[in-house]
Amino acid sequence: MTALITADGLLHEIDEKDLLVLDVQYTLTGDGPRLYTGGHVPGAPFVDLDTVLAGPAGEGGRHPLPDVETLQAGLRAAGLDDDSRVVVYDQGTSLGAARAWWVLRWAGVEDVRVLDGGLAAWRAAGGTVVTEPVSPEPGTVHLEADQLVALDAEDAVATAKLGVLVDARSPERYRGEEEPIDPVAGHIPGAVNVPMSDLVQPDGRLRPADELRERFAREDIDEVTVVGTYCGSGITAAHTALALHEAGVDADVYIGSWSEWITDPSRPIATGACPLPSSCPR
């Protein structure tokens, strides 16, 4: 079953009482609040990725999982009840929205969909955009963590050996040629590279399911493969998990990702275009 909703679909459902739309506009430089005040879907409160959908940066990476009590308080403040149906969106890439989709399901919220193409698609479909902040009645949702598997570093290693570990970063970062964010470059040994850019259309919407299946099949991934995803800090990795879901593949997410992997200097680092140096053609 798809986890996506189109802008036209949301226009049709927007007034349903049990539907809660959450704005998760996000950039690495923390521009989410500014983007929200610049325009959002009517009735949609803002949920901050850095403070609600992630814990403090540290040894667990730049965006570790949040404390479930903090997450619950943030989602109650946004008006979430136990019986709410949720649609999450960001400005267009679905990076922030996919992180919300994954974290909410990890915490036990079952009915979560992503607005494919985000606010840009909503505008293009004729949806109204407002600038006034939303202050909903507090919700009563009760969350319970660990409803999805969050891989740790050891799990990531095991996944690379038993199945396929997908690195969602750009090829340059995967190969270790450049690292604009983290202090160490390279990739987890055994991981294959499927950059996010391979999975999306120019307007930010995910590619059709058959195209996603074809791309993942190039890495020997199908519906029975053991799959894990990672990126720099567990955001793009959630987006890749969403794309895999749309392709009919269940995937676990290494939330700490590269930013957590490199906190332990004893963990090995691979560079180059091959998952392992020994796997490169001679």
Side-chain angles (χ1 to χ4, degrees), residues 22 53 75 86 88 99-109 112:
L22 299 178
L53 301 175
L75 293 177
V86 182
V88 291
R99 170 74 179 214
W101 169 79
W102 197 90
V103 169
L104 266 63
R105 293 165 60 246
W106 166 81
V109 181
V112 187

Side-chain angles (χ1 to χ4, degrees), residues 163-264:
V164 180
L165 180 65
V166 176
D167 185 315
R169 298 172 301 161
S170 68
E172 295 80 12
R173 293 179 72 191
Y174 173 83
R175 294 192 297 260
E177 296 170 356
E178 64 176 48
E179 181 46 71
I181 303 173
D182 293 304
V184 180
H187 63 264
I188 298 174
V192 302
N193 186 215
V194 182
M196 176 189 167
S197 58
D198 287 2
L199 308 179
V200 296
Q201 303 178 71
D203 62 2
R205 291 179 299 127
L206 278 174
R207 294 192 178 279
D210 58 344
E211 294 183 18
L212 294 172
R213 282 190 288 270
E214 188 278 331
R215 178 62 185 89
F216 290 123
R218 286 157 52 188
E219 311 299 337
D220 296 323
I221 296 172
D222 60 24
E223 64 275 7
V224 299
T225 309
V226 175
V227 184
T229 68
Y230 82 95
C231 58
S233 66
I235 296 174
T236 312
H239 183 276
T240 300
L242 174 64
L244 283 158
H245 176 90
E246 294 304 298
V249 179
D250 291 328
D252 300 324
V253 176
Y254 176 21
I255 287 290
S257 284
W258 186 248
S259 60
E260 192 267 341
W261 179 267
I262 60 175
T263 61
D264 184 344

